Amino acid sequence: MGRFDGRRSREAVSYEPASVKELLVEMKDTAELLIDLSYSAVLHASPSVAREVVELEHRMDVLQMRARMSLMLAARKPSEAETLAPVLGVVAAADKVSDAAGDIAKIVVEEIGLPEAMRGALTEGVETLVRGTVADDSPYDGRTLKEIDLESETGVRVIAIRREDDWILNPGAETRVERGDVTLLRGPENGVGEAYPRLTGEPFEADEPVEPAIDDLERAVDSIVLMKNLSELAVDLAYGSVLFDNEELAEEVYNLEIEVDALQSRFEAWTLRAAKEAEDPVSLRGLIHLGVATEEISDAALEITEGVMRDIGVHPVVEMAVKESDEIITRTQVRRGSDLAGTRIAAGIPATEIATSVLAIRRPEEGWLVGPDLDTTVRAGDVIIAKGTRTSAGEFAELAT
């Protein structure tokens, strides 16, 4: 896993006309889902979710090959080759993210070693993630997600669908569910217990939590959740820095990489101390693999930003495609006395009329807050990473100053 296997080497890939920007966006979405699924497979000890990481790796390989083909066709003279070189680096870095996610999934598939009580140490805020195949007689077959209204009824979201070899990432309200679809569901355990049988025709059986045999295992699990969140954010910001030629976003990826390195070092130290007390130290070997793979993901995210940090610029092919997109990622520092200071975050959106979603906050004294909850209040000095329209981004920046 994470390497070229026989199945992938036999798969033919032909050129298909596609926007370089669209390919990069799909690679970004695929990389984020790979990270999400691989860490979730570890946290929930789920081989079925881990195997979907393998399937998604195949998709990433195809995207990389097509991106290379499109970039080769776009380069017609030396000056264009210069601005395309960093984009080729982005494609190569995506392969590293994919490999690292595969290595994380391998911990579960190959039973490299994890504490049995990992799932039992999860906090209540960590949602369940399961894989389920839509049954032939499912009441959801042939209906859109809007018609099913799964999230309103059960709190469960369909985060991705695999239909044979094709993937539907970020399925929307009009996405139709079909028999045979492999769905990835995320939500509260009781909601999954309600939705899963309707979807698959099989009962949902959650494993009984095991009492931790290692002191402070909850702290290790919290670290893994933080690693996952920081890694996803680093990849998101790295691609955003390239797509929008934004040096400020690239600098935040650098800040995240430093944070992940420090977190990985503390996590590794905890694992070594825990191994000293564990009856079977080999059972913790997977945690060492997890820390190494996490650092590889953050390093790859930093590599994605290299062209932006070197001020090489973005190739016109990418620049023109970006102009077609109204949604952008921004970095905004909250000034003292601004309208944003003291504003409370509600469901990821500031309590204003602006349609901007807050992804994360970097707080000088506390570090990174990823996915701020309802109780988070914006402070002067906070650096806010947000996603929204170009218009709302401008208004948001005014509120912060």
Side-chain angles (χ1 to χ4, degrees):
M1 191 177 310
R3 302 292 179 265
F4 226 110
D5 61 22
R7 172 179 167 178
R8 280 185 279 177
S9 64
R10 292 192 297 270
E11 185 177 348
V13 179
S14 58
Y15 172 73
E16 293 180 6
S19 158
V20 173
K21 186 255 183 178
E22 289 176 359
L23 285 169
L24 290 177
V25 168
E26 189 170 354
M27 290 172 73
K28 177 186 78 70
D29 291 343
T30 301
E32 289 174 349
L33 184 57
L34 274 165
I35 295 169
D36 188 1
L37 295 185
S38 59
Y39 280 97
S40 296
V42 168
L43 289 168
H44 297 288
S46 174
S48 62
V49 171
R51 282 191 286 271
E52 289 306 317
V53 174
V54 181
E55 296 295 333
L56 199 55
E57 277 191 280
H58 302 334
R59 176 61 183 162
M60 181 68 97
D61 286 336
V62 173
L63 289 172
Q64 289 177 69
M65 187 62 71
R66 288 182 178 156
R68 290 192 183 102
M69 292 174 181
S70 296
L71 290 168
M72 290 174 70
L73 287 172
R76 296 180 178 86
K77 50 188 178 182
S79 60
E80 291 184 342
E82 181 180 280
T83 52
L84 281 174
V87 187
L88 282 168
V90 171
V91 174
D95 185 47
K96 294 184 179 180
V97 172
S98 182
D99 285 350
D103 288 340
I104 292 172
K106 186 194 299 182
I107 296 169
V108 179
V109 174
E110 298 186 2
E111 299 181 357
I112 291 178
L114 287 169
E116 289 185 7
M118 184 76 78
R119 182 179 174 277
L122 287 174
T123 60
E124 292 182 2
V126 178
E127 296 178 309
T128 298
L129 189 147
V130 296
R131 168 196 182 277
T133 303
V134 181
D136 291 346
D137 58 351
S138 170
Y140 298 152
D141 176 34
R143 300 170 64 191
T144 65
L145 293 178
K146 182 179 181 180
E147 292 169 341
I148 295 170
D149 201 18
L150 196 62
E151 189 167 358
S152 296
E153 290 187 4
T154 64
V156 175
R157 305 181 304 282
V158 180
I159 64 171
I161 297 173
R162 178 168 60 83
R163 187 166 294 159
E164 295 183 349
D165 291 332
D166 293 326
W167 281 84
I168 302 174
L169 307 178
N170 304 317
E174 300 306 316
T175 302
R176 195 171 298 276
V177 175
E178 299 178 4
R179 65 184 66 185
D181 282 353
V182 175
T183 62
L184 293 161
L185 310 175
R186 164 170 278 135
E189 190 168 292
N190 59 346
V192 172
E194 185 179 342
Y196 187 85
R198 295 187 208 162
L199 190 79
T200 67
E202 300 173 356
F204 173 68
E205 299 177 357
D207 295 331
E208 289 295 324
V210 179
E211 189 67 26
I214 301 169
D215 292 337
D216 210 15
L217 184 59
E218 292 86 355
R219 181 180 173 187
V221 168
D222 288 344
S223 294
I224 294 171
V225 173
L226 183 56
M227 286 177 183
K228 168 182 170 294
N229 291 338
L230 293 179
S231 297
E232 286 177 334
L233 181 61
V235 170
D236 197 2
L237 295 188
Y239 275 100
S241 73
V242 172
L243 292 172
F244 305 111
D245 194 19
N246 189 319
E247 189 173 339
E248 287 185 337
L249 293 182
E251 289 175 356
E252 292 304 332
V253 176
Y254 174 76
N255 290 330
L256 276 167
E257 197 270 341
I258 293 174
E259 180 76 14
V260 170
D261 279 355
L263 178 62
Q264 189 268 341
S265 179
R266 293 193 298 270
F267 182 74
E268 190 175 78
W270 178 91
T271 303
L272 292 173
R273 285 195 296 269
K276 182 179 179 182
E277 301 172 4
E279 291 184 10
D280 179 16
V282 176
S283 67
L284 302 181
R285 192 162 61 101
L287 297 180
I288 297 291
H289 282 247
L290 185 66
V292 172
T294 297
E295 188 172 16
E296 289 175 355
I297 291 172
S298 66
D299 289 346
L302 195 58
E303 287 181 26
I304 289 172
T305 68
E306 184 177 14
V308 178
M309 296 299 287
R310 292 181 183 275
D311 200 23
I312 294 177
V314 176
H315 189 275
V317 170
V318 178
E319 190 173 10
M320 287 191 305
V322 167
K323 287 179 180 177
E324 299 172 6
S325 172
D326 188 45
E327 188 177 71
I328 60 172
I329 299 175
T330 58
R331 171 195 180 276
T332 307
Q333 185 164 21
V334 181
R335 301 297 179 182
R336 188 176 301 279
S338 69
D339 291 339
L340 266 189
T343 299
R344 187 163 160 267
I345 302 294
I349 301 174
T352 68
E353 298 300 319
I354 295 176
T356 298
S357 175
V358 174
L359 302 178
I361 293 175
R362 180 166 58 81
R363 185 158 287 168
E365 316 85 34
E366 300 177 23
W368 285 91
L369 307 174
V370 184
D373 58 24
L374 295 177
D375 297 324
T376 300
T377 299
V378 176
R379 302 177 189 170
D382 284 352
V383 173
I384 298 179
I385 307 298
K387 183 182 290 185
T389 64
R390 293 178 187 275
T391 302
S392 66
E395 296 174 359
F396 189 77
E398 286 182 16
L399 285 177
T401 59

